[in-house]
Amino acid sequence: MSIVTVQLGQCGNQIGFEVFDALLSDSHSSQGLCSMRENEAYQASCKERFFSEEENGVPIARAVLVDMEPKVINQMLSKAAQSGQWKYGQHACFCQKQGSGNNWAYGRDKDSACYPDWSGTPGLQ
């Protein structure tokens, strides 16, 4: 069974990067806190569930990166590619051309026309 993560905002994208980096480091580690057989099963499970592979064998994280501005997403894409161990898919990103400057109300008012009307949803009025 594959797992796809959704990384939201700056914090979610930075933590998501660290999670994928740790998973791949674990999958290349020959030492574990369990038997060699259990460690091998864990490594295979990590690769299968959290990564897909390009034709050249480079692991691609199963993740969707979401942020209001492209800065953080571009940093995470770059960091993953620079590691040389794994990368994110180039089409797994969603962002606006500019952010809302840490101002939720500004982002809601400015971008509300781009999204469906949530006014009828309980708790989102």
Side-chain angles (χ1 to χ4, degrees), residues 5 14-24 50-51:
T5 64
Q14 290 172 337
I15 290 172
F17 170 83
E18 295 298 332
V19 167
F20 281 107
D21 205 45
L23 286 168
L24 199 66
F50 293 98
F51 294 93

Side-chain angles (χ1 to χ4, degrees), residues 15-107:
I15 290 172
F17 170 83
E18 295 298 332
V19 167
F20 281 107
D21 205 45
L23 286 168
L24 199 66
S25 293
D26 280 355
S27 71
H28 290 316
S29 175
S30 60
Q31 298 178 16
L33 299 175
C34 51
S35 70
M36 186 162 57
R37 185 177 58 106
E38 290 172 326
N39 193 40
E40 289 172 356
Y42 167 73
Q43 290 173 344
S45 177
C46 282
K47 284 184 179 178
E48 177 186 330
R49 290 183 179 166
F50 293 98
F51 294 93
S52 59
E53 285 191 0
E54 286 186 330
E55 290 179 13
N56 62 2
V58 175
I60 299 176
R62 295 180 193 269
V64 177
L65 291 77
V66 181
D67 201 340
M68 289 294 292
E69 56 185 308
K71 179 181 173 185
V72 172
I73 291 177
N74 289 336
Q75 288 174 345
M76 296 304 105
L77 292 173
S78 177
K79 264 179 99 170
Q82 288 174 357
S83 77
Q85 301 289 319
W86 65 281
K87 64 182 187 176
Y88 286 109
Q90 288 294 327
H91 301 290
C93 307
F94 176 79
C95 61
Q96 301 289 326
K97 291 184 180 177
Q98 62 185 21
S100 55
N102 266 351
N103 184 336
W104 178 87
Y106 175 76

